[in-house]
């Protein structure tokens, strides 16, 4: 029998498909043609039908859909560790905003984003969802290294010049749409920063623009107690209710954080089919609070996982984030049964894909989906012995256990070596940028 030629076969691994049945295939193999999965099954079956130009031996490791980081500010990695251990207000207004004004430009946005993309691929992320400035540079960095992502200009537009700022951001968004129109990896979002940093008009008009262009609308929501109490005091409603009065909440809205929620807020999010990007480590580090994830899940609200920026985390390692998500929910509820390892792994993969509206394309390993997958090296003392794959991936594995990564059918990392960038050049550039920042910091 003539075999079908595939571009790539990954074999000799245990496949966790994360499909609807959570099917697991021992001694599995996956055949990839161009950017898609064309076959998945036991290695013997796949070998009878397919041969491939390139074969990757998973050596008994786990083959998993790539992790989906639903909330990032990639270029902020140039500020990693610069302002820790302080309240969000002070962190943002006295540290991050002035630093951004002075040091975020095209050059730092590109190298900071590339640094983050490298860190993400090296720790198992294959798709991100970013909000920041100079996003064209972020898109360029992502395409260079070969990672998939949603990018969008962060919109801070309140007060007298709100409309002018929005108009500028709108044209930047149109530029992004044109620049990445044919991109296999990059798509665009409309991203007002929060209900309190954008005027009602800008929140509404940007939603209208997102609708017209069928784009995801991404916003920070109910992150801090201050936001919650300010809205109650000033408007007599929660920030969720406020956004609902502006009619910007729907199935194409992704809200990051959602920590401070009234009972009715959860009902509103559920009724409007709003998706949530849960960022437990950032919420812990900034002392913001604990998002009621177990309640979201119980109510059928779609929850993805996000690291937030490297300045408030301080890494982009989704394995570490998964562990935090599972543990934090247990301690918050004084109940070890909530947010199980199985649920957590779904949150970091297929549920994240749903949060981004991309579940038809990614989030699980199934025929016809994009070939975005990672191979975990299980031959490590901290992953031995193996009784439960889900348990190991959430509670024991680290980002550095990811050995190989395939995104859009392309091997972007093999045996922990990134294929598309010169790491030493990137490290040098980031060091140069950080030297300027630390001079200023000491002045
Ligand atoms: Zn954020």
């Amino acid at each position: 029998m003539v075999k079908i030629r595939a571009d790539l076969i990954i074999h000799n691994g245990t496949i966790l498909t994360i499909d609807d049945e959570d099917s697991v295939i021992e001694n599995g193999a996956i055949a990839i043609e161009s950017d898609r999965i064309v076959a998945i099954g036991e290695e013997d079956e796949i070998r009878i039908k397919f041969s491939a130009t390139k074969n990757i031996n998973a050596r008994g490791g786990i083959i998993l859909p790539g992790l989906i980081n639903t909330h990032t500010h990639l270029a902020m990695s140039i500020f990693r560790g610069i302002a820790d251990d302080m309240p969000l207000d002070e962190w943002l207004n006295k540290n991050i905003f002035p630093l951004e004004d002075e040091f975020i430009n095209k050059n730092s946005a590109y190298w900071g984003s590339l640094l983050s993309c490298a860190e993400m691929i090296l720790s198992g992320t294959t798709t991100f969802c970013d909000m920041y400035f100079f996003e064209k540079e972020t898109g360029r960095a992502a395409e260079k290294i070969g990672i998939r992502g949603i990018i969008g200009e962060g919109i801070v537009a309140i007060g007298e010049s709100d409309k002018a700022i929005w108009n500028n951001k709108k044209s930047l968004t149109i530029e992004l749409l044109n620049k990445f129109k044919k991109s296999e990896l990059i798509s665009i979002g409309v991203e007002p920063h929060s209900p309190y940093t954008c005027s009602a008009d800008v929140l509404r008009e940007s939603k209208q623009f997102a609708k017209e262009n069928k784009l995801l609308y991404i916003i920070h929501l109910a992150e801090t107690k201050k936001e919650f109490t300010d809205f109650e005091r000033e408007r007599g409603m929660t920030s969720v209710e406020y956004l609902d009065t502006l009619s910007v909440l729907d199935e194409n809205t992704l809200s990051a954080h959602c920590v401070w929620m009234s009972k009715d807020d959860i009902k509103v999010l559920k009724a409007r089919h709003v998706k949530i990007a849960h960022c437990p480590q950032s919420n812990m580090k900034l002392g913001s609070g604990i998002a009621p994830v177990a309640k979201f899940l119980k109510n059928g609200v779609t929850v993805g996982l996000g690291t937030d920026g490297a300045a408030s985390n301080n890494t982009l390692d989704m394995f570490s984030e998964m562990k935090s998500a599972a543990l934090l929910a247990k301690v918050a509820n004084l109940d070890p049964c909530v947010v199980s390892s199985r649920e957590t792994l779904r949150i970091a993969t297929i549920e994240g894909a749903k949060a981004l509206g991309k579940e038809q394309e990614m989030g699980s390993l199934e025929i016809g989906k994009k070939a975005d997958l990672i191979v975990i090296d299980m031959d490590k003392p901290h992953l031995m012995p193996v009784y439960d794959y889900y348990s190991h991936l959430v509670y024991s594995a680290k980002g550095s256990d990811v050995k190989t990564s395939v995104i859009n059918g392309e091997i972007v990392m093999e045996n922990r070596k990134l294929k598309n960038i010169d790491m030493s050049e990137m490290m040098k550039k980031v060091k140069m940028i950080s030297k300027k920042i630390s001079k200023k910091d000491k002045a």
Side-chain angles (χ1 to χ4, degrees):
M1 194 175 108
V2 182
K3 289 190 182 183
I4 303 165
R5 196 87 188 147
D7 292 323
L8 173 64
I9 290 179
I10 300 169
H11 64 103
N12 190 20
T14 300
I15 304 172
L16 267 59
T17 62
I18 321 289
D19 63 8
D20 288 345
E21 287 78 41
D22 270 338
S23 315
V24 174
I25 305 166
E26 309 273 357
N27 304 314
I30 295 179
I32 293 162
E33 174 68 47
S34 182
D35 58 341
R36 304 265 169 189
I37 295 170
V38 291
I40 180 165
E42 285 182 20
E43 181 162 356
D44 296 347
E45 296 165 30
I46 301 291
R47 288 278 176 215
I48 291 168
K49 286 192 204 153
F50 291 88
S51 67
T53 319
K54 165 90 181 168
N55 290 274
I56 291 179
N57 187 341
R59 297 188 188 284
I62 290 177
I63 305 169
L64 188 71
L67 304 180
I68 296 176
N69 189 341
T70 57
H71 186 64
T72 62
H73 310 284
L74 294 186
M76 286 186 90
S77 58
I78 65 163
F79 300 133
R80 192 194 318 267
I82 203 169
D84 294 330
D85 311 327
M86 60 183 76
L88 188 135
D89 229 15
E90 187 185 339
W91 175 78
L92 202 58
N93 293 312
K94 291 196 180 144
N95 289 274
I96 297 302
F97 284 162
L99 283 167
E100 284 175 339
D101 280 347
E102 187 160 1
F103 295 107
I104 293 292
N105 51 43
K106 270 184 174 178
N107 184 61
S108 61
Y110 178 79
W111 291 106
S113 296
L114 193 66
L115 181 73
S116 289
C117 290
E119 183 189 354
M120 286 192 293
I121 293 177
L122 284 160
S123 54
T125 294
T126 55
T127 296
F128 65 83
C129 179
D130 198 57
M131 172 199 288
Y132 210 53
F133 314 112
F134 298 100
E135 286 281 298
K136 200 194 280 179
E137 300 305 314
T138 302
R140 238 165 39 84
E143 284 203 314
K144 166 79 182 155
I145 202 164
I147 195 169
R148 195 184 298 286
I150 296 177
I151 58 172
E153 284 287 324
I155 305 161
V156 174
I158 200 151
E160 273 177 18
S161 49
D162 64 332
K163 289 286 181 61
I165 296 170
W166 160 237
N167 282 331
N168 175 43
K169 291 289 182 179
K170 185 161 70 178
S171 30
L172 285 173
T173 308
I174 293 167
E175 258 180 55
L176 291 177
L177 284 167
N178 288 329
K179 161 103 181 139
F180 295 101
K181 195 163 44 185
K182 291 190 183 134
S183 176
E184 295 259 318
L185 296 172
I186 301 299
S187 43
I188 312 301
V190 176
E191 317 207 13
H193 174 265
S194 72
Y196 59 90
T197 49
C198 290
S199 68
D201 284 345
V202 169
L203 290 167
R204 263 193 300 248
E205 282 176 33
S206 54
K207 181 66 190 182
Q208 191 52 36
F209 179 82
K211 271 187 184 167
E212 283 162 11
N213 292 280
K214 297 191 172 63
L215 305 176
L216 199 59
Y217 183 80
I218 300 155
I219 188 163
H220 293 101
L221 183 57
E223 181 174 0
T224 61
K225 189 177 183 182
K226 184 175 184 325
E227 178 179 332
F228 190 84
T229 50
D230 283 356
F231 268 89
E232 288 274 280
R233 195 182 58 243
E234 287 162 20
R235 298 181 189 268
M237 61 177 96
T238 66
S239 48
V240 173
E241 286 165 343
Y242 170 66
L243 290 189
D244 200 34
T245 62
L246 301 178
S247 306
V248 303
L249 299 179
D250 62 25
E251 71 279 12
N252 295 313
T253 300
L254 174 63
S255 54
H257 300 297
C258 296
V259 173
W260 290 87
M261 297 270 108
S262 73
K263 249 191 201 159
D264 286 345
D265 284 345
I266 299 179
K267 281 187 198 151
V268 171
L269 295 178
K270 159 89 177 155
R272 302 282 177 254
H273 305 284
V274 172
K275 316 296 198 309
I276 293 170
H278 174 41
C279 305
Q281 291 192 344
S282 174
N283 296 153
M284 283 194 275
K285 186 157 182 289
L286 291 165
S288 301
I290 305 173
V293 174
K295 277 192 196 141
F296 292 146
L297 298 181
K298 209 172 155 194
N299 284 280
V301 179
T302 299
V303 179
L305 193 61
T307 56
D308 215 349
S312 65
N313 185 299
N314 290 1
T315 74
L316 307 176
D317 183 342
M318 285 282 285
F319 281 90
S320 165
E321 203 72 36
M322 281 198 284
K323 184 168 180 173
S324 292
L327 298 189
L328 186 60
K330 294 172 200 312
V331 75
N333 292 279
L334 299 179
D335 180 358
C337 305
V338 298
V339 189
S340 67
S341 56
R342 201 173 272 244
E343 281 175 305
T344 306
L345 199 60
R346 291 188 75 84
I347 286 172
T349 53
I350 187 66
E351 296 300 314
K354 287 179 193 167
L356 304 184
K358 291 182 181 288
E359 70 272 22
Q360 301 302 325
E361 293 283 68
M362 61 184 76
S364 60
L365 299 177
E366 296 177 78
I367 291 172
K369 281 201 174 183
K370 294 278 189 188
D372 288 6
L373 56 93
I374 55 177
V375 179
I376 320 285
D377 181 2
M378 296 295 282
D379 200 14
K380 304 264 181 94
H382 65 277
L383 300 176
M384 193 67 70
V386 185
Y387 302 111
D388 181 325
Y389 300 119
Y390 298 92
S391 165
H392 269 22
L393 290 169
V394 172
Y395 299 125
S396 305
K398 303 171 200 303
S400 52
D401 299 326
V402 178
K403 200 173 171 190
T404 292
S405 175
V406 174
I407 302 175
N408 207 42
E410 187 195 355
I411 304 161
V412 294
M413 174 176 76
E414 192 171 10
N415 296 320
R416 295 210 53 73
K417 192 169 174 359
L418 295 169
K419 297 270 198 176
N420 296 332
I421 63 157
D422 176 347
M423 272 270 271
S424 61
E425 183 201 16
M426 178 188 76
M427 298 302 235
K428 254 188 233 157
K429 296 279 187 189
V430 173
K431 261 185 207 163
M432 275 164 61
I433 293 165
S434 71
K435 269 186 191 157
K436 281 188 204 160
I437 298 171
S438 48
K439 253 190 209 156
K440 156 84 182 179
D441 213 29
K442 287 191 187 87

